[in-house]
Amino acid sequence: MREIVSQKLALAMADDCIAFRVRALNRVITNLYDTVLQPFGITVNQATMLIMLSLVGEATSARIGQVLIMEKSTISRNLDRMKKQGWIESSSRDRGREQFVRVTPAGRELLAAFHPNWETAQLQASELLGDNGVSAVHTLHAAVRKKHPV
């Protein structure tokens, strides 16, 4: 009897789970971008961080996490890899513990180099989602940002 109840609950949850659908969509779109960025040795997470830093000039890892809504461990791991590649550098101010991260000339060159591939990923994602899907993504992002502003 418990097995039947459990199975019915699992079925109801699987049919309605928003998290499952969002995570599945995330994996598909992330894979699409990662595939076209692979020749440059950069992931979409790293590319997003590079783009953000190029826009703001410099930021702390905490600020990167706030703006990009990323986990601290994801930021730390990716920043370490990006530093090793020479795409970013960091320094502290006034002997403080807080590190400020900025894009290096090599990082700016990389951004320009992978831009055409990024455009390809944008086109592929747009074709996959369709106009209504792309519009829905923008609408959902705006709604989340209203509740979690940067």
Side-chain angles (χ1 to χ4, degrees):
M1 184 68 163
R2 283 187 179 166
E3 188 176 331
I4 293 171
V5 170
S6 177
Q7 192 172 23
K8 286 182 180 180
L9 288 173
L11 182 59
M13 292 167 78
D15 284 347
D16 292 334
C17 187
I18 295 167
F20 168 78
R21 284 164 178 73
V22 170
R23 290 178 66 83
L25 180 59
N26 178 53
R27 285 188 290 274
V28 169
I29 298 297
T30 297
N31 184 55
L32 195 150
Y33 281 82
D34 281 347
T35 299
V36 301
L37 295 174
Q38 186 178 18
F40 300 92
I42 192 168
T43 66
V44 70
N45 270 345
Q46 294 164 353
T48 300
M49 294 166 76
L50 195 66
I51 292 164
M52 181 249 175
L53 289 169
S54 294
L55 288 171
V56 301
E58 67 179 10
T60 64
S61 60
R63 183 66 177 151
I64 294 168
Q66 183 183 30
V67 171
L68 299 180
I69 314 173
M70 286 183 173
E71 296 292 326
K72 185 177 181 178
S73 61
T74 301
I75 294 163
S76 178
R77 180 177 57 251
N78 282 298
L79 287 179
D80 286 345
R81 291 176 181 161
M82 293 168 73
K83 280 182 195 175
K84 287 178 183 170
Q85 294 293 328
W87 303 331
I88 60 168
E89 60 188 9
S90 64
S91 62
S92 61
R93 292 189 186 152
D94 303 325
R95 295 185 217 175
R97 292 178 21 163
E98 205 166 42
Q99 293 286 310
F100 288 82
V101 183
R102 74 190 64 69
V103 179
T104 64
R108 286 190 288 278
E109 287 178 21
L110 175 66
L111 184 69
F114 74 66
H115 180 258
N117 289 50
W118 175 87
E119 285 184 320
T120 297
Q122 283 285 101
L123 182 61
Q124 290 173 352
S126 295
E127 289 173 353
L128 178 66
L129 298 175
D131 290 342
N132 290 339
V134 171
S135 179
V137 168
H138 287 277
T139 300
L140 292 168
H141 182 261
V144 168
R145 276 299 183 201
K146 279 185 181 177
K147 296 196 184 245
H148 300 280
V150 290

